[in-house]
Amino acid sequence: MTTFEEAYELTGHGRFNHLALFTNGFILLYATTECLGLGYVLNTADCDLHVSIGERGAISAATFIGVVAPAIVWGYLGDKYGRRKTMLPATVLAVLFSFLSSLSTNFWSMFLLRIITGTLISASCATAYVYLGELTSPSRRAASIAWGSAFIAGSYLAMPLFAWILLPLKFSVGDGTLKIRPWRVLMWAYTIWGSMSCVGMAILPESPSYLLATKGGPETLAVLAKIYSWNQKKTAAEYPIKEILCPAINIPKFKESLARMKLMLKPPLLRCVVISHISNFMVFMQSNAFYVWLPHIVDELLRHGPKKPGLSMCQIMNDIHNNIEMVLDECVPAEMDTGIYPIASCVGIITAILYAAIAFGMKRGWAKAIMYCKMVFKLVLFPYSRY
């Protein structure tokens, strides 16, 4: 008989934890790729979808709309029904709807399917961190979550590499409005990470912490014994703990959860909520919004920049889009300048290095200092970004 934390530590660290890390890491990689990978897709899909620059922006935003809108509901469902029971079916459906969106032939079908895809991805975006942490012993939890975040950095490298391999290919299969071109295959390739995470979740059990909070000790012990057998290469019967002291805790109902959220809108939490939300909004607006348009911006600069020496990036982009005249009936599928791929890959490498540095600093308690330096750095450099 012992406490839950001590019982968890006795399971050790090994194969089970590696599977949990890669499964949840692939979930995070998949979510990031689905949100930001359209920057490469839409740059070559204009003719097939018959979309303008503004409609391309709306399609890129659609996935984010789906991610943000139902986030609170998914969080509650994860608490009520379990992490795995919420994430696994949602991720399977996200892969399915992502595939269906790749078969879109117009703006509205793509826009609506991307919203649905984003809504399903939302179930796993934040829950993956919780699930990963709860599948790891307390002493290794922080390091495990930091390693999971590294998969997000990997997505910034995987997206341009996949695009580098597939988009330069020249093929068109099919007749009529639906033609299979490289950009559709690229969207299929992006779903690989989601499919791999589904396989991992099918093998992994429910979170022991969730089981303890909702169903008590016996079912929790069964999962801990399974983790023990995986890590120690022994049978589950050899797990030395037979009873856990921690009592079960009932999960609040949805109305009770909303009532508790009201506390964030009142002092003393209100000040912290406002500061943290504004800070996160600014960070994600500048980073994710820029990366969505990075392939288009760099592609246009590589094509037209040398012809317009002395002009800033904003002036070049303004001139280009003021002179665009697209005749859809005679549209020629766009081909991206191959110079964009090494540039985007370098951005991915730098992002990975920065993620590693941030994870290193977080482990040493530098969270506030890192956030402050990041915001100051962005504000100082932002006025010069147009050059």
Side-chain angles (χ1 to χ4, degrees), residues 312-370:
S312 70
M313 180 184 75
C314 293
Q315 291 171 325
I316 294 174
M317 296 300 294
N318 187 59
D319 289 346
I320 292 171
H321 292 294
N322 283 340
N323 295 325
I324 286 180
E325 293 182 2
M326 180 181 292
V327 181
L328 296 178
D329 293 336
E330 302 176 1
C331 188
V332 178
E335 295 182 9
M336 294 177 66
D337 192 300
T338 54
I340 185 179
Y341 302 118
I343 294 174
S345 299
C346 289
V347 172
I349 293 172
I350 294 172
T351 303
I353 294 173
L354 290 175
Y355 261 93
I358 290 172
F360 177 81
M362 292 288 284
K363 291 176 64 176
R364 280 156 178 74
W366 301 345
K368 186 176 180 180
I370 291 172

Side-chain angles (χ1 to χ4, degrees), residues 22-23 26-31 34 87-88 90-99 187-203:
F22 277 92
T23 297
F26 284 143
I27 291 173
L28 295 171
L29 196 158
Y30 174 60
E34 284 287 2
M87 295 168 61
L88 179 55
T91 306
V92 171
L93 289 174
V95 171
L96 173 62
F97 276 93
S98 180
F99 176 79
M187 291 187 70
W188 301 346
Y190 285 159
T191 63
I192 290 175
W193 313 115
S195 302
M196 293 175 67
S197 67
C198 291
V199 174
M201 281 189 287
I203 299 172

Side-chain angles (χ1 to χ4, degrees), residues 103-359:
L103 303 179
S104 300
T105 57
N106 56 65
F107 165 74
W108 282 111
S109 62
M110 176 66 93
F111 180 75
L112 295 175
L113 287 171
R114 293 311 300 177
I115 288 180
I116 297 173
T117 303
T119 300
L120 295 166
I121 291 173
S122 179
S124 303
C125 284
T127 311
Y129 286 107
V130 178
Y131 190 46
L132 175 58
E134 293 179 351
L135 290 178
T136 310
S137 59
S139 63
R140 295 177 177 266
R141 190 162 293 160
S144 181
I145 292 175
W147 279 110
S149 299
F151 282 82
I152 297 178
S155 67
Y156 287 91
L157 185 58
M159 285 184 287
L161 289 180
F162 275 42
W164 200 345
I165 294 171
L166 294 172
L167 290 184
L169 301 177
K170 298 179 180 179
F171 62 82
S172 178
V173 180
D175 298 320
T177 57
L178 178 59
K179 295 181 180 180
I180 305 302
R181 300 190 194 272
W183 68 268
R184 298 188 193 273
V185 179
L186 179 60
M187 291 187 70
W188 301 346
Y190 285 159
T191 63
I192 290 175
W193 313 115
S195 302
M196 293 175 67
S197 67
C198 291
V199 174
M201 281 189 287
I203 299 172
L204 291 172
E206 183 55 81
S207 157
S209 300
Y210 169 80
L211 292 175
L212 182 67
T214 57
K215 298 185 178 180
E219 293 196 30
T220 306
L221 280 173
V223 173
L224 292 179
K226 180 178 180 179
I227 298 174
Y228 175 84
S229 66
W230 276 48
N231 289 339
Q232 306 295 344
K233 298 181 180 180
K234 298 180 180 180
T235 64
E238 295 180 79
Y239 184 54
I241 305 303
K242 304 303 178 185
E243 188 175 351
I244 296 177
L245 293 173
C246 297
I249 302 172
N250 292 325
I251 299 299
K253 296 181 180 179
F254 187 63
K255 290 184 178 180
E256 295 173 353
S257 299
L258 292 178
R260 293 182 181 184
M261 290 180 60
K262 293 180 181 178
L263 296 175
M264 297 192 302
L265 306 178
K266 300 177 182 179
L269 296 180
L270 179 61
R271 175 176 172 273
C272 296
V273 170
V274 171
I275 293 174
S276 63
H277 281 55
I278 291 176
S279 299
N280 277 281
F281 176 81
M282 293 176 65
V283 168
F284 282 104
M285 180 181 68
Q286 293 178 18
S287 59
N288 289 0
F290 169 74
Y291 198 88
V292 166
W293 289 100
L294 176 67
H296 176 69
I297 292 173
V298 176
D299 183 48
E300 295 290 4
L301 291 179
L302 290 174
R303 292 176 181 276
H304 303 283
K307 303 175 184 178
K308 301 175 182 292
L311 297 182
S312 70
M313 180 184 75
C314 293
Q315 291 171 325
I316 294 174
M317 296 300 294
N318 187 59
D319 289 346
I320 292 171
H321 292 294
N322 283 340
N323 295 325
I324 286 180
E325 293 182 2
M326 180 181 292
V327 181
L328 296 178
D329 293 336
E330 302 176 1
C331 188
V332 178
E335 295 182 9
M336 294 177 66
D337 192 300
T338 54
I340 185 179
Y341 302 118
I343 294 174
S345 299
C346 289
V347 172
I349 293 172
I350 294 172
T351 303
I353 294 173
L354 290 175
Y355 261 93
I358 290 172

